[in-house]
Amino acid sequence: MKTFEMKTVIHFGDNALERLKNLPYKRVLIITDPFIAQGNMIDLITTPLKQGGIEYDIFSDVVPDAPVGKIAEGVSKFLQYQPEAIVAVGGGSAIDSSKAIREFALKINNYGKVGLIAIPTTSGTGSEVTSFAVVNDTDAHVKYPLISDSLTADEAILDAELVRSVPPAITADTGMDVFTHALESYVSTQHNEFSSALAEKAIEICGVFLLRAYLDGNDMHARQKMHVASCLAGLSFNTAGLGITHSMAHQLGAIFHIPHGRANAMLLPHIVEFNADINKHSRSQKEYLPAVKRYSNIAHILGLSNYNKVMTVRSLVNWIQFMQKEMNIPLTIQELGTITPDAYFAAIDKMADAALADACTANNPRVPTKEDIVKIYTKLWSF
């Protein structure tokens, strides 16, 4: 038996932030990052709370990749303020931090249910609807995924006004994160009809609107569409899981601080080739791995149909690399210009072990060996 469940109530479209006036809580803790807390964007959150007569305090010491030490500070603030709900405002780091803070605080002092309202300010992680959070042990250089239904937000508010000012580079990285979430969940060994439908729609939206949002940040129609696509992809992978693109990207983020969406985008063409067991030297085959048909379906959705399966999968790889080039995402580690070859190659063995042990690896459509992972990391350095 399989089960598909959506735990989060989603508010979206024009003026979605008006929902904050009507929250069923009298006292909330806003968790966000210093950039949002010190800018004008925080007014979009606090004004409707004031209009609704809701008391609030702000914890703004959130930093990228949710370090364990900052989570502990947030727990301390939570226990001191004792809110009825958390309002998480920001990208994946703020929402993941909020999930972890609520989870750990309630384990320390369980005084009843505390709501979680997630308000994303980037169109990328889908964290507002997932039961996952990633925390970072900065001393060990390891990212740990947390997985529990209790991490899932009660409500999500998708208002494109919050992503209007996101710069092009972050629009590109987060947009490719959306695409990777959808594609990996679509070929996951745990995919089902519900997750697949959500992934297909997210990919269709990315194909039409991602480049538009990148080229013109004030194209609010494209912004809103990508905001919804991020949520759809989150709902998909929350059910179906992900794959080794994420397992390997987690290591690149933990050790070399490559932004998560960018690491996903750089790895994705190589992972598609690995999962399909198709590369530029392939000939037409009588039988293909199961992922080939599903990658071909995605190619059709993107308008990339070709005359045989090999060419169709190749066209998907080429489309991903085309998007990288159009949005100035490096194709190789060497292109980043911030990592020396000695440092990178010295870390590959450790990264490969950690990627194999990562929770996302279990649902990958093709079972990788350590040698496979090492080979992909090596190819990623340069062409």
Side-chain angles (χ1 to χ4, degrees):
M1 182 181 75
K2 294 183 178 180
T3 302
F4 178 80
E5 183 178 5
M6 290 176 54
K7 293 180 177 293
T8 308
V9 177
I10 301 165
H11 309 279
F12 64 101
D14 294 341
N15 302 312
L17 287 169
E18 294 289 300
R19 167 60 184 163
L20 291 171
K21 292 181 185 178
N22 303 310
L23 292 179
Y25 309 106
K26 295 178 181 177
R27 183 180 176 87
V28 303
L29 177 64
I30 299 170
I31 296 180
T32 191
D33 60 61
F35 176 79
I36 291 172
Q38 293 162 16
N40 295 328
M41 191 181 293
I42 196 66
D43 294 338
L44 296 173
I45 309 300
T46 57
T47 298
L49 288 175
K50 290 173 185 173
Q51 290 170 343
I54 299 168
E55 292 180 29
Y56 65 85
D57 199 354
I58 300 174
F59 174 76
S60 62
D61 206 4
V62 168
V63 298
D65 295 328
V68 172
K70 295 297 182 185
I71 301 295
E73 290 177 24
V75 170
S76 177
K77 176 71 174 182
F78 180 105
L79 294 173
Q80 172 197 336
Y81 187 65
Q82 299 208 341
E84 295 177 14
I86 288 175
V87 175
V89 184
S93 295
I95 296 174
D96 280 5
S97 294
S98 300
K99 291 177 176 180
I101 288 166
R102 180 179 72 158
E103 186 81 357
F104 295 140
L106 291 181
K107 288 189 186 306
I108 294 169
N109 183 8
N110 191 358
Y111 56 87
K113 179 174 170 55
V114 173
L116 175 59
I117 298 91
I119 308 176
T121 60
T122 60
S123 304
T125 67
S127 186
E128 68 273 10
V129 289
T130 69
S131 56
F132 303 96
V134 178
V135 296
N136 189 18
D137 185 335
T138 51
D139 293 330
H141 299 291
V142 175
K143 286 188 174 183
Y144 294 104
L146 308 177
I147 305 172
S148 172
D149 285 345
S150 61
L151 292 170
T152 311
D154 300 288
E155 299 185 34
I157 299 175
L158 310 180
D159 195 317
E161 195 59 39
L162 295 171
V163 295
R164 183 194 289 270
S165 61
V166 172
I170 295 177
T171 298
D173 289 349
T174 54
M176 288 306 294
D177 200 15
V178 174
F179 184 82
T180 305
H181 288 154
L183 187 62
E184 286 215 292
S185 65
Y186 190 75
V187 300
S188 160
T189 56
Q190 297 300 310
H191 71 80
N192 58 59
E193 289 86 348
F194 295 95
S195 66
S196 295
L198 292 160
E200 286 175 357
K201 189 61 182 179
I203 285 166
E204 178 190 321
I205 292 172
C206 288
V208 176
F209 292 104
L210 173 52
L211 205 50
R212 272 180 56 175
Y214 171 79
L215 293 171
D216 180 6
N218 290 314
D219 183 340
M220 294 308 290
H221 184 60
R223 289 286 202 192
Q224 183 65 41
K225 288 288 189 181
M226 285 304 301
H227 220 33
V228 170
S230 176
C231 188
L232 292 171
L235 289 168
S236 180
F237 83 75
N238 194 51
T239 296
L242 295 164
I244 60 171
T245 309
H246 273 75
S247 303
M248 296 178 69
H250 288 156
Q251 318 319 317
L252 293 172
I255 295 177
F256 296 112
H257 310 294
I258 300 173
H260 178 64
R262 178 163 295 198
N264 277 335
M266 294 169 71
L267 283 161
L268 191 57
H270 302 283
I271 306 303
V272 171
E273 289 185 338
F274 170 76
N275 286 340
D277 199 19
I278 283 177
N279 55 57
K280 60 188 175 183
H281 304 296
S282 294
R283 305 282 184 188
S284 294
Q285 301 164 227
K286 291 183 178 178
E287 292 186 9
Y288 299 92
L289 295 178
V292 171
K293 181 178 180 182
R294 298 190 69 76
Y295 284 135
S296 296
N297 291 345
I298 295 306
H300 289 307
I301 289 169
L302 293 169
L304 306 174
S305 306
N306 253 297
Y307 62 87
N308 66 29
K309 287 186 171 64
V310 173
M311 291 303 297
T312 301
V313 174
R314 286 299 310 162
S315 70
L316 176 59
V317 171
N318 291 339
W319 183 88
I320 296 166
Q321 292 176 328
F322 163 79
M323 292 294 284
Q324 288 177 261
K325 291 171 185 174
E326 288 294 300
M327 298 189 295
N328 292 310
I329 296 174
L331 273 69
T332 66
I333 298 294
Q334 190 175 39
E335 265 184 77
L336 289 170
T338 57
I339 301 167
T340 66
D342 287 349
Y344 182 72
F345 286 99
I348 283 180
D349 191 73
K350 178 184 177 182
M351 290 196 298
D353 283 333
L356 280 176
D358 190 281
C360 294
T361 300
N363 296 325
N364 199 68
R366 184 180 175 196
V367 178
T369 63
K370 181 177 179 180
E371 183 183 2
D372 293 326
I373 300 291
V374 167
K375 192 176 294 184
I376 294 167
Y377 274 133
T378 302
K379 284 173 64 179
L380 191 63
W381 172 256
S382 68
F383 285 119

